Amino acid sequence: MSEHSNIYRTAPPFRPRPAPAQSDPIPSSSPAFGTPVHPIRPQKSVQPSKPSILPVQLPPATLRPLAFRTFTKKHSLTLTSSALQTFAIFIGKHCGLTWREDGLAERILDDIAKNWKKNGGGLIVPGEGEDLKNILRNIESSLSEGRSAPQNFLNRQDSFVFGAQSPRDESLTPKEMPGVLNREHSQNSFGLSNLEVEDDEDENENGQMKDPRRWLKVVGAFEQPRLMYNWAQKHFEPIGRPPSLLPDPANKIHLFRHRYNLTHQRLLRNESFQTSTVGFTRTSTLQRSSSIMTTAQQAYKLTPIANLLGRSGSNHLLLGLLTLSPTGVLTIGDLTGSITLDIQHARPVPEGGAWFTPGMVVLVDGMYEEEGSAVGPAVGGVAGIGGTIGGKFIAFSVGGPPCERRDVTLGVGNNIAGHSSAGAGFGWVDFLGVGSERGSGTKMRRLEQRTLKRGSVQNPTEGRGRMVIMGEVDLGSANVLQALKKILGVYDAEPSDQSPMAFVLMGNFARYAVMAGGGSGGSIEYKEYFDSLATVLSDYPSILQSATFVFVPGDNDPWASAFSAGAATALPRASIPDIFTSRIKREFATANAEADSSGGKRVEGEAIWSTNPTRLTLFGPAQEVVLFRDDMTGRLLRNALSFRPLDGGGSSATASESTVSTTTSTDPVPAEESREMDVDAAVKTAESHLPAVKTRDNSGTTVTADMIAARRLVKTILDQGYLSPFPLSIRPVFWDYFGALQLYPLPSAFVLMDPEAPAFAITYEGCHVMNPGPLVTKQRRGVAQWMEYDARTRRGKTREVRL
């Protein structure tokens, strides 16, 4: 028994586990297999050799502005001259001729600065030392055609996924990798994107991402990031002080200084104001044989007003702000001083193509003349800024500063297959708080292309990417309410997945300033107006469930109209108070509660009461639409400068409230069949320095007088890059919110609701400008008109319906 028990105790309870098979595909060493003792491991595939780049000799002075912006402003580091020389040699060797256009140098400098700070480097970056050499060696080993290797583009989610387990490694090809921007790049801008863009590129295939309204965001004037242009460091920086409606008087000076500096830097970026060594050489050679002969390469040169002293009788080109002195004399001033302006013999440039009023920044070409009876022989004042220069400046021509396209401002290069490369510009600046162009622009453009191209090709009028814009919606008029029913009925008959994604209603919502005694009931009457609108909207629940309604107030709407009595109020204008809009919100809540959400996650309809002006962003920085309600045409007519007619008759020019004489508006012209028109080619030649009178476009088609007036209005506003180019006594502005009025960079589309101007749709320098006009006009009884903007084509057209 003991023997058997001992055997039972020592027996293994389980059978021995078989040895696992070798994972190595090479068989073990054996004479039967004839394999060597040390097996030969499979060799890695030979990688193709890197394409060669032609090195260039890059001067350090050329790289200095970019290096200063990257190291000093972005990373708070100081560069020595030897370090700048080292970087110039390194970038010229590995980037070649495309170091500037493709933005390669900026990425390399940013990587160097990050590695320097990561390794514990000091505030001063010396050119000699092993630390900097080691960083350059590491970056050099990961460069391919001036770009970082694909393994550097790892996000936070898959940083711990190795080998073939990461689906991201399989989806990204080497061709796509240079265009990838990770989350760290987008956070380098002045604002973070609130769009919550995921990293999966296939997420748009499910039902939750097909609706472009998911990417529509309304940015009010008081919600935009407050940025100030720093002239010394050539970049935008956030304003640190909190905003106030009653700020310090010094903020008023900052308003005009910012406008001038922004226009000045935009002007210096224009190719007509960029000097060239070759151009100077040729110009001087030609001027020896003829004093009149010039070349196209000759650049314009601006002269500060303070530098006019002692240069009487010489010609100069000035950039300054037109103002009226307390004595009623027209003057022009910049940051160095001001001088009396004589426009008796001046001509507008282009002739009859733009308005010029006090409060605008203009270019004036003329001659300085000293007078003994002038204000003084030198700069007045203690500080020397804003002082009056003795004598006067005799103007020969007056023009506006040339406009700058949006892609040039943001530094966006050629767009190929949805990929955009950003070069020089302000691509890292987040102007609206939805992400910068360099941070999220490329990904959002790819998403825009996939989302907006799902509409029907046979019928381009259908599609989810449309916006319906209605102007001067007077809710106290029965005809306006009837027109709203007709328009909503047109879109309610369309399928829900093809209906417009947004409806924009722009004021005035009351014909008179009822809050200031313009009506009989005051605030009660004004609330009844919106209650009647809620009754109309309740008949179309499908539209309320699938669209965003945006309300932009006018000068007759509360609360500002209670103090201004309908006159021009201070800009930006606050939204309509919630006390008047409670019933409309209740109708939207009821419609959303009754909606059938069984088809998946749905973006509920909403009503947004925004400011004036306000901005709509679609797909982050990809598209920007500015909405502005103002009686711009009437204000320009009352305050514009009057020039001498071409025949030499008439009195001298004054700055009083008079209209500008034009010869093109009185000519008989045939009527157009369509209001939709693209005049990019027509206005391209009407640069501020090219005098030309245009009554026909480039195709030879005669345009109407309304279209000529529309072109004149559009060119005036976009060249100024500011929504209120008037003195503060005529159009008040909140000093701490002036950034909401600037049109820089130019938006993708600009809706200027001006009831005194004809309805139009014009494209100027890539910006599509639209005026929907009043919804119902007295001139055309029984007809309602509105504007329909298509985000796919980025064009708008006027639509009409009979009541």
Side-chain angles (χ1 to χ4, degrees), residues 111-124:
D111 291 341
I112 295 174
K114 290 179 181 178
N115 292 331
W116 177 266
K117 296 174 66 175
K118 183 178 180 180
N119 296 339
L123 297 178
I124 300 178

mmCIF file of all heavy atoms in Angstrom, residues 111-124:
data_model
loop_
_atom_site.group_PDB
_atom_site.id
_atom_site.type_symbol
_atom_site.label_atom_id
_atom_site.label_comp_id
_atom_site.label_asym_id
_atom_site.label_seq_id
_atom_site.Cartn_x
_atom_site.Cartn_y
_atom_site.Cartn_z
ATOM 1 N N ASP A 111 10.728 72.867 -35.223
ATOM 2 C CA ASP A 111 11.237 71.629 -34.630
ATOM 3 C C ASP A 111 12.538 71.857 -33.874
ATOM 4 O O ASP A 111 12.760 71.278 -32.803
ATOM 5 C CB ASP A 111 11.447 70.576 -35.723
ATOM 6 C CG ASP A 111 10.134 70.093 -36.312
ATOM 7 O OD1 ASP A 111 9.106 70.294 -35.656
ATOM 8 O OD2 ASP A 111 10.145 69.550 -37.439
ATOM 9 N N ILE A 112 13.403 72.705 -34.420
ATOM 10 C CA ILE A 112 14.667 72.998 -33.741
ATOM 11 C C ILE A 112 14.410 73.673 -32.394
ATOM 12 O O ILE A 112 15.020 73.334 -31.371
ATOM 13 C CB ILE A 112 15.566 73.858 -34.638
ATOM 14 C CG1 ILE A 112 15.977 73.079 -35.902
ATOM 15 C CG2 ILE A 112 16.805 74.321 -33.888
ATOM 16 C CD1 ILE A 112 16.755 73.917 -36.903
ATOM 17 N N ALA A 113 13.481 74.642 -32.399
ATOM 18 C CA ALA A 113 13.184 75.351 -31.148
ATOM 19 C C ALA A 113 12.563 74.416 -30.110
ATOM 20 O O ALA A 113 12.880 74.496 -28.918
ATOM 21 C CB ALA A 113 12.259 76.532 -31.439
ATOM 22 N N LYS A 114 11.681 73.518 -30.541
ATOM 23 C CA LYS A 114 11.068 72.585 -29.596
ATOM 24 C C LYS A 114 12.112 71.638 -29.001
ATOM 25 O O LYS A 114 12.110 71.377 -27.788
ATOM 26 C CB LYS A 114 9.966 71.792 -30.296
ATOM 27 C CG LYS A 114 8.744 72.621 -30.644
ATOM 28 C CD LYS A 114 7.715 71.766 -31.368
ATOM 29 C CE LYS A 114 6.501 72.599 -31.738
ATOM 30 N NZ LYS A 114 5.504 71.795 -32.492
ATOM 31 N N ASN A 115 12.993 71.115 -29.851
ATOM 32 C CA ASN A 115 14.031 70.216 -29.338
ATOM 33 C C ASN A 115 15.010 70.943 -28.423
ATOM 34 O O ASN A 115 15.515 70.368 -27.452
ATOM 35 C CB ASN A 115 14.773 69.566 -30.506
ATOM 36 C CG ASN A 115 13.906 68.602 -31.279
ATOM 37 O OD1 ASN A 115 12.994 68.007 -30.727
ATOM 38 N ND2 ASN A 115 14.170 68.452 -32.570
ATOM 39 N N TRP A 116 15.296 72.196 -28.727
ATOM 40 C CA TRP A 116 16.197 72.974 -27.880
ATOM 41 C C TRP A 116 15.608 73.157 -26.482
ATOM 42 O O TRP A 116 16.294 73.005 -25.470
ATOM 43 C CB TRP A 116 16.482 74.318 -28.535
ATOM 44 C CG TRP A 116 17.343 75.226 -27.719
ATOM 45 C CD1 TRP A 116 16.936 76.192 -26.857
ATOM 46 C CD2 TRP A 116 18.778 75.232 -27.675
ATOM 47 N NE1 TRP A 116 18.013 76.811 -26.283
ATOM 48 C CE2 TRP A 116 19.169 76.240 -26.767
ATOM 49 C CE3 TRP A 116 19.770 74.494 -28.313
ATOM 50 C CZ2 TRP A 116 20.497 76.528 -26.491
ATOM 51 C CZ3 TRP A 116 21.092 74.776 -28.034
ATOM 52 C CH2 TRP A 116 21.454 75.776 -27.140
ATOM 53 N N LYS A 117 14.327 73.491 -26.404
ATOM 54 C CA LYS A 117 13.689 73.663 -25.107
ATOM 55 C C LYS A 117 13.492 72.325 -24.401
ATOM 56 O O LYS A 117 13.556 72.257 -23.170
ATOM 57 C CB LYS A 117 12.341 74.373 -25.296
ATOM 58 C CG LYS A 117 12.470 75.780 -25.845
ATOM 59 C CD LYS A 117 11.133 76.398 -26.168
ATOM 60 C CE LYS A 117 10.307 76.622 -24.922
ATOM 61 N NZ LYS A 117 9.034 77.329 -25.229
ATOM 62 N N LYS A 118 13.261 71.267 -25.170
ATOM 63 C CA LYS A 118 13.087 69.952 -24.569
ATOM 64 C C LYS A 118 14.376 69.452 -23.934
ATOM 65 O O LYS A 118 14.360 68.772 -22.901
ATOM 66 C CB LYS A 118 12.600 68.966 -25.638
ATOM 67 C CG LYS A 118 12.311 67.580 -25.117
ATOM 68 C CD LYS A 118 11.791 66.685 -26.230
ATOM 69 C CE LYS A 118 11.512 65.286 -25.701
ATOM 70 N NZ LYS A 118 11.013 64.400 -26.781
ATOM 71 N N ASN A 119 15.514 69.787 -24.557
ATOM 72 C CA ASN A 119 16.807 69.371 -24.022
ATOM 73 C C ASN A 119 17.326 70.281 -22.917
ATOM 74 O O ASN A 119 18.458 70.109 -22.460
ATOM 75 C CB ASN A 119 17.840 69.291 -25.144
ATOM 76 C CG ASN A 119 17.498 68.232 -26.168
ATOM 77 O OD1 ASN A 119 16.747 67.304 -25.890
ATOM 78 N ND2 ASN A 119 18.031 68.376 -27.382
ATOM 79 N N GLY A 120 16.542 71.254 -22.511
ATOM 80 C CA GLY A 120 16.947 72.127 -21.416
ATOM 81 C C GLY A 120 17.888 73.228 -21.820
ATOM 82 O O GLY A 120 18.696 73.681 -20.994
ATOM 83 N N GLY A 121 17.804 73.693 -23.082
ATOM 84 C CA GLY A 121 18.661 74.778 -23.526
ATOM 85 C C GLY A 121 18.288 76.103 -22.890
ATOM 86 O O GLY A 121 17.169 76.294 -22.390
ATOM 87 N N GLY A 122 19.204 77.043 -22.910
ATOM 88 C CA GLY A 122 18.966 78.345 -22.319
ATOM 89 C C GLY A 122 18.135 79.234 -23.215
ATOM 90 O O GLY A 122 17.674 78.855 -24.290
ATOM 91 N N LEU A 123 17.963 80.493 -22.760
ATOM 92 C CA LEU A 123 17.175 81.450 -23.516
ATOM 93 C C LEU A 123 17.903 81.942 -24.756
ATOM 94 O O LEU A 123 17.281 82.398 -25.706
ATOM 95 C CB LEU A 123 16.796 82.644 -22.626
ATOM 96 C CG LEU A 123 15.904 82.323 -21.420
ATOM 97 C CD1 LEU A 123 15.654 83.580 -20.610
ATOM 98 C CD2 LEU A 123 14.586 81.700 -21.871
ATOM 99 N N ILE A 124 19.231 81.873 -24.754
ATOM 100 C CA ILE A 124 20.032 82.318 -25.898
ATOM 101 C C ILE A 124 20.519 81.079 -26.641
ATOM 102 O O ILE A 124 21.097 80.164 -26.041
ATOM 103 C CB ILE A 124 21.211 83.190 -25.438
ATOM 104 C CG1 ILE A 124 20.696 84.435 -24.696
ATOM 105 C CG2 ILE A 124 22.072 83.588 -26.624
ATOM 106 C CD1 ILE A 124 21.797 85.327 -24.166
#
